[in-house]
Amino acid sequence: MNRTIKIEGLDCANCALELEAQIEDINGVNEAVVDFMAQKVIVDCEDEAFDKVIYLCNHFEDVKVVGQPERENNADAAPFTGGKRIKIKNLCCANCGRELEEELNAIEGVEATVDFMNMTVVLKAATPEAHDKAVYAITHFEDVEIDDGKPDKKGIVRGHFKEIIQIAISVIFFIPALVIDYAASGDVWQYIDYALYALAFIPVAYPVIWNTVRNLAAGKIFDENFLMTVAAIGAIILGIFTGDGLMEGVAVMLLYQIGELLQSIAVGSSRSSIARLMDLKSDTATLVKGNQTIVVAPEDLQVGDVILIKAGEKVPVDCTLLSGSTSLDMKSLSGEALPREVKEGDELLSGSINISKVIKAEVCREYRNSAVAKILELVEHSTARKAKPEKFITKFAKYYTPAVVIAAVLVAVLVPTIICAAQGAFLWETYRVWIYRSLSFLVISCPCALVISVPLSYFGGIGRCAKFGILVKGSTCLDELARATVAAFDKTGTLTEGVFAVKNYSSEEALNIAAAAEKFSSHPVAAAFLSVATPYVAENAEEVAGRGVKCTINGKTALCGNAQLLKENGVSFTPSDSLSTTIYVALNGKYMGVIEVDDLVKPDAAAAVAALKDGGITKAVMLTGDGQKRAAAVAGELGLDGCFAALLPDQKLEKARELKGEGGLIYVGDGINDAPVMTVADCAVSMGKVGSDAAIEASDIVLVSDNLSLLPRARRIAKGTRSIVFQNIIGSLAIKFAIMILSVAIPAFPLILAIFGDVGVMLLAILNAMRTHLIK
């Protein structure tokens, strides 16, 4: 049973790996993922183990569970889903969030949940008076304000106030100590110098040393706190005994804390890029009841309700425009720069913005099934699935740090012992030199540059895709998209518009029978008959998968579907050689005629296929249930390498398995029949707007706007992200190993260079990871 636990206070990517390993060691836990970027834990465990997981999270360093844990993907678990979401800011800690929540729930007629991570209050008030009291309570709770949507210029300072103050105090004492160290001499100045260094050391070292002590008491060693504590205290002790001063020991902690602060700011920036997507949701909707309008939550709307959408407002749920026309700003959903013109009968996707005039629309899907709800759910869980490089780094870090610590001990003890034994005398100076070298070795060994830069790169890639309306369900999906070399497409609704019309028919009787029968079909072809007026009414309709519809009309058995359906029922007929989709009709075993139905090829499909081939796809084919001739014509028009036609769902599945043998497989589809194939593909892509829930659920990537040209863009972003990931892995390891070797090989290699190297590598890796935001 999967549950998602929101946390705060997890400030170290390497610590996230440790927490993940400890959770998985609990009996009853099947699998755990600690998502450092999104600050949450996703755990698959038995009920009796869940309390142990919560306890562990609350007692792991400074980590705290935020709010009440919920079962993943369980809409019923979300408290007060019909409530109003109020964005707030300046809520400085999770405990303050709990206090605010208690204060709000103490107001009569108010139910509230305070989400500290997303800085929102979900508020449900029984009366307007109760609502006003709750808003007053929110705005008068410490420094909390209602978020007006404007950029918070004090965000960085407020978010890292404690760390900035600690670093500032340390710098205030460190600079004069440094000046005295190099400019003054004498015992009095030396004591003053030591005192200033101590005052500089305490504010930056206390949190690190305290975490080290707590971890050691819990039996945990070999984390970054331990490494930095040993390096800094070791440098101070050596400085005291040798008279070299305390500068390097203090500098280790000060530069380390500066690096951690810069890392937190960079990570926070990437988190914000994803969090901005959460603004797609409209907080309210205007429901039309007769001559009155009522403001309600989007979750309270039902299918068939009529809503009013003013100019400048977000579309709250998926709906159909009732009359007139307007323009929609689709940038947040699909990345489209130009407004989209819509007219009466067109569907309006939730999350788009009405920019022209006041319109009325009819709700066609409830909020939980609307585009914006699906987007937010996908975004919420987009970082939970780890790619192979992430898993590699997880395993690598598990063994890397202990190995480095053991190597440092050998450098500090074994090497000088061998040297002294060879010289036949104990020489403290020899031990001092090699202990100093081992401290540099420890400092540069911190794995944070690797552990943070890899998930940060994927996080940036996922965020970049989301900007263009490409929703990626996890870094592993992005990785598979980048590695794939074979692409397969469904035809109807994917390569073609999926909007069918009757092109030709052999008899009026056949058309009328087909129109009656196809009203019961969910296949896109059935839409071609919606406008056909028929005198017949079909009964006992049964949709035969991959064949067509079987029903009763005036007591007679009617068949309406492909050639296979008539053959299996023993009906004699002459197959049509039309390139269009053909629907054969029979009544009581007698062939009645054939109907030709066609849809248009999407205007961007050929360019999308060509771009994929230019981007490294070696083979692109079509898998379809349509006839061979029509499929071959479409494949030739689009420049595909081939097509496999007249496939039943199980045959599609088998063909997809064969294609996987030729390389990583991308499969793009939109229908219910595509879901099984999607589960087999390495990277499954669904068309979000018209795609079925089953296809979206089975897919790894969703194209929100059904724009096929987004797929080559997604692949470019995926390949760019993967390239950056490997640059960070190889570059970080190369620089770290080089400095490790230099720290041992060069007798006077300064410890300060090691800490600069560690912080520098981490910042370079983070800055390189943030280049994912620039991929086009």
Side-chain angles (χ1 to χ4, degrees):
M1 181 180 296
N2 284 333
R3 292 182 173 95
T4 299
I5 305 168
K6 291 185 177 180
I7 57 175
E8 59 108 4
L10 187 62
D11 296 326
C12 161
N14 196 40
C15 298
L17 301 183
E18 293 180 17
L19 177 57
E20 185 175 290
Q22 289 185 34
I23 292 174
E24 290 190 331
D25 286 339
I26 297 174
N27 288 332
V29 173
N30 302 319
E31 185 179 11
V33 175
V34 176
D35 191 338
F36 170 68
M37 297 302 302
Q39 293 282 288
K40 64 186 177 185
V41 177
I42 300 173
V43 60
D44 177 10
C45 67
E46 305 297 333
D47 288 339
E48 55 270 18
F50 189 57
D51 290 340
K52 295 179 182 178
V53 175
I54 296 294
Y55 180 85
L56 176 59
C57 291
N58 274 321
H59 290 79
F60 184 87
E61 298 188 356
D62 295 325
V63 175
K64 295 296 177 188
V65 173
V66 181
Q68 292 298 317
E70 300 172 6
R71 293 187 182 184
E72 188 177 6
N73 297 331
N74 183 355
D76 295 334
F80 318 128
T81 53
K84 180 181 180 182
R85 288 172 59 89
I86 301 175
K87 295 285 290 181
I88 59 173
K89 55 186 179 182
N90 304 338
L91 185 62
C92 60
C93 72
N95 190 51
C96 297
R98 178 188 57 78
E99 292 176 4
L100 175 58
E101 183 172 301
E102 289 178 355
E103 188 173 317
L104 290 172
N105 285 317
I107 300 172
E108 186 177 353
V110 170
E111 294 180 32
T113 298
V114 177
D115 186 342
F116 171 70
M117 286 303 298
N118 292 316
M119 285 291 168
T120 57
V121 177
V122 182
L123 182 67
K124 195 171 187 179
T127 63
E129 292 78 13
H131 178 272
D132 292 342
K133 288 180 180 178
V135 171
Y136 181 87
I138 293 169
T139 55
H140 288 76
F141 182 87
E142 297 185 356
D143 296 326
V144 174
E145 300 174 17
I146 302 293
D147 193 346
D148 56 7
K150 296 178 181 179
D152 189 354
K153 296 180 181 179
K154 298 183 288 185
I156 292 177
V157 175
R158 285 188 179 275
H160 304 281
F161 183 76
K162 182 179 178 181
E163 294 88 344
I164 291 172
I165 291 297
Q166 289 171 340
I167 291 171
I169 293 173
S170 180
V171 169
I172 287 171
F173 291 110
F174 183 76
I175 292 175
L178 200 61
V179 172
I180 292 172
D181 210 0
Y182 285 97
S185 60
D187 290 342
V188 174
W189 284 112
Q190 185 179 43
Y191 293 139
I192 294 173
D193 194 39
Y194 280 7
L196 289 172
Y197 274 132
L199 291 172
F201 185 73
I202 291 171
V204 289
Y206 169 76
V208 179
I209 295 173
W210 175 240
N211 283 334
T212 300
V213 171
R214 287 196 308 176
N215 291 343
L216 290 174
K220 297 185 295 180
I221 57 175
F222 299 139
D223 68 343
E224 61 174 1
N225 293 298
F226 175 79
L227 296 178
M228 286 302 164
T229 298
V230 171
I233 293 178
I236 288 173
I237 292 172
L238 285 178
I240 292 173
F241 277 102
T242 60
D244 290 340
L246 309 180
M247 186 272 292
E248 286 190 324
V250 179
V252 166
M253 281 298 184
L254 178 57
L255 290 173
Y256 169 69
Q257 291 287 37
I258 291 173
E260 288 292 291
L261 174 62
L262 295 175
Q263 170 188 294
S264 295
I265 292 171
V267 172
S269 173
S270 283
R271 282 181 184 151
S272 296
S273 69
I274 292 289
R276 281 193 290 271
L277 285 170
M278 307 308 280
D279 291 334
L280 283 172
K281 184 182 184 296
S282 175
D283 292 329
T284 60
T286 305
L287 176 64
V288 178
K289 286 282 190 182
N291 295 324
Q292 295 183 330
T293 57
I294 306 170
V295 177
V296 299
E299 293 88 344
D300 294 335
L301 294 172
Q302 303 293 322
V303 174
D305 283 347
V306 176
I307 57 175
L308 190 74
I309 308 172
K310 300 175 184 177
E313 288 185 343
K314 295 172 189 169
V315 177
V317 294
D318 296 352
C319 52
T320 303
L321 186 59
L322 289 177
S323 61
S325 62
T326 189
S327 300
L328 296 179
D329 182 347
M330 304 288 289
K331 284 197 295 291
S332 297
L333 281 175
S334 62
E336 294 179 24
L338 296 176
R340 177 180 295 181
E341 302 299 323
V342 290
K343 60 185 183 303
E344 181 180 341
D346 287 346
E347 184 177 324
L348 315 181
L349 287 183
S350 52
S352 56
I353 301 173
N354 176 29
I355 58 177
S356 292
K357 61 189 75 170
V358 179
I359 56 174
K360 286 185 179 181
E362 182 179 325
V363 176
C364 60
R365 276 186 288 274
E366 293 182 358
Y367 173 77
R368 66 175 181 272
N369 297 319
S370 65
V372 72
K374 290 177 181 177
I375 291 170
L376 296 184
E377 182 180 347
L378 289 173
V379 170
E380 178 68 18
H381 299 97
S382 63
T383 54
R385 295 165 65 179
K386 294 185 177 181
K388 288 182 180 179
E390 281 187 276
K391 293 176 181 177
F392 162 75
I393 289 300
T394 300
K395 292 180 180 178
F396 179 81
K398 184 177 180 180
Y399 299 104
Y400 165 79
T401 306
V404 166
V405 172
I406 293 170
V409 172
L410 293 177
V411 169
V413 179
L414 185 61
V415 174
T417 299
I418 293 172
I419 293 173
C420 289
Q423 294 176 347
F426 175 84
L427 300 173
W428 162 245
E429 180 60 23
T430 300
Y431 275 91
R432 186 196 71 78
V433 169
W434 285 98
I435 289 172
Y436 184 84
R437 292 179 180 181
S438 72
L439 294 179
S440 297
F441 198 81
L442 277 180
V443 167
I444 193 60
S445 69
C446 265
C448 272
L450 287 169
V451 176
I452 185 59
S453 66
V454 172
L456 185 61
S457 300
Y458 281 117
F459 196 77
I462 291 170
R464 184 64 174 167
C465 284
K467 181 178 177 62
F468 297 104
I470 306 162
L471 303 182
V472 183
K473 292 186 179 180
S475 56
T476 182
C477 310
L478 208 62
D479 222 39
E480 293 293 351
L481 178 62
R483 296 168 57 207
T485 56
V486 180
F489 300 85
D490 175 45
K491 183 176 79 69
T492 305
T494 301
L495 295 173
T496 62
E497 294 286 359
V499 179
F500 289 86
V502 175
K503 181 180 179 181
N504 197 12
Y505 52 92
S506 61
S507 73
E508 193 79 31
E509 185 73 358
L511 179 64
N512 288 332
I513 293 171
E518 292 289 349
K519 292 185 186 299
F520 294 92
S521 175
S522 61
H523 196 280
V525 170
F529 298 91
L530 292 177
S531 60
V532 177
T534 175
Y536 298 127
V537 176
E539 298 176 338
N540 304 320
E542 175 191 354
E543 188 161 9
V544 184
R547 308 289 202 279
V549 178
K550 184 177 183 180
C551 62
T552 302
I553 294 178
N554 294 336
K556 299 177 181 179
T557 300
L559 301 175
C560 181
N562 58 22
Q564 192 69 23
L565 180 65
L566 268 64
K567 289 177 182 178
E568 290 177 355
N569 286 272
V571 178
S572 299
F573 68 101
T574 302
S576 170
D577 59 357
S578 172
L579 294 180
S580 300
T581 299
T582 52
I583 298 172
Y584 298 94
V585 181
L587 188 65
N588 253 17
K590 181 183 177 182
Y591 177 59
M592 303 300 295
V594 64
I595 302 163
E596 296 178 16
V597 174
D598 223 334
D599 68 335
L600 300 175
V601 171
K602 288 187 175 179
D604 60 341
V609 171
L612 285 172
K613 288 186 174 183
D614 291 341
I617 293 297
T618 58
K619 185 175 184 178
V621 299
M622 179 199 300
L623 305 181
T624 179
D626 277 3
Q628 177 64 40
K629 291 184 178 179
R630 173 58 180 162
V634 172
E637 183 179 346
L638 297 178
L640 294 171
D641 298 309
C643 67
F644 301 92
L647 298 178
L648 298 176
D650 59 328
Q651 293 172 324
K652 260 192 179 184
L653 192 61
E654 187 59 36
K655 185 55 67 175
R657 290 195 175 105
E658 290 178 17
L659 290 170
K660 278 191 68 173
E662 302 179 31
L665 174 65
I666 302 170
Y667 182 78
V668 190
D670 75 306
I672 293 174
N673 291 341
D674 295 318
V677 186
M678 287 181 168
T679 60
V680 168
D682 296 289
C683 181
V685 182
S686 68
M687 315 298 281
K689 182 179 174 183
V690 298
S692 71
D693 289 341
I696 291 176
E697 182 65 26
S699 64
D700 301 303
I701 296 173
V702 179
L703 306 181
V704 175
S705 65
D706 284 1
N707 185 350
L708 202 59
S709 64
L710 291 176
L711 184 57
R713 184 189 291 273
R715 184 167 159 82
R716 287 196 300 273
I717 294 172
K719 292 181 73 173
T721 300
R722 184 173 168 83
S723 175
I724 288 171
V725 165
F726 279 96
Q727 288 170 16
N728 280 337
I729 292 175
I730 295 169
S732 297
L733 286 176
I735 295 172
K736 281 182 173 288
F737 284 140
I739 296 178
M740 284 181 190
I741 293 169
L742 290 175
S743 68
V744 174
I746 299 176
F749 189 84
L751 183 61
I752 193 73
L753 287 184
I755 187 63
F756 266 121
D758 176 59
V759 174
V761 169
M762 180 176 65
L763 292 180
L764 281 175
I766 289 173
L767 290 173
N768 193 40
M770 294 182 75
R771 287 198 303 116
T772 53
H773 297 287
L774 304 176
I775 302 174
K776 296 182 179 179

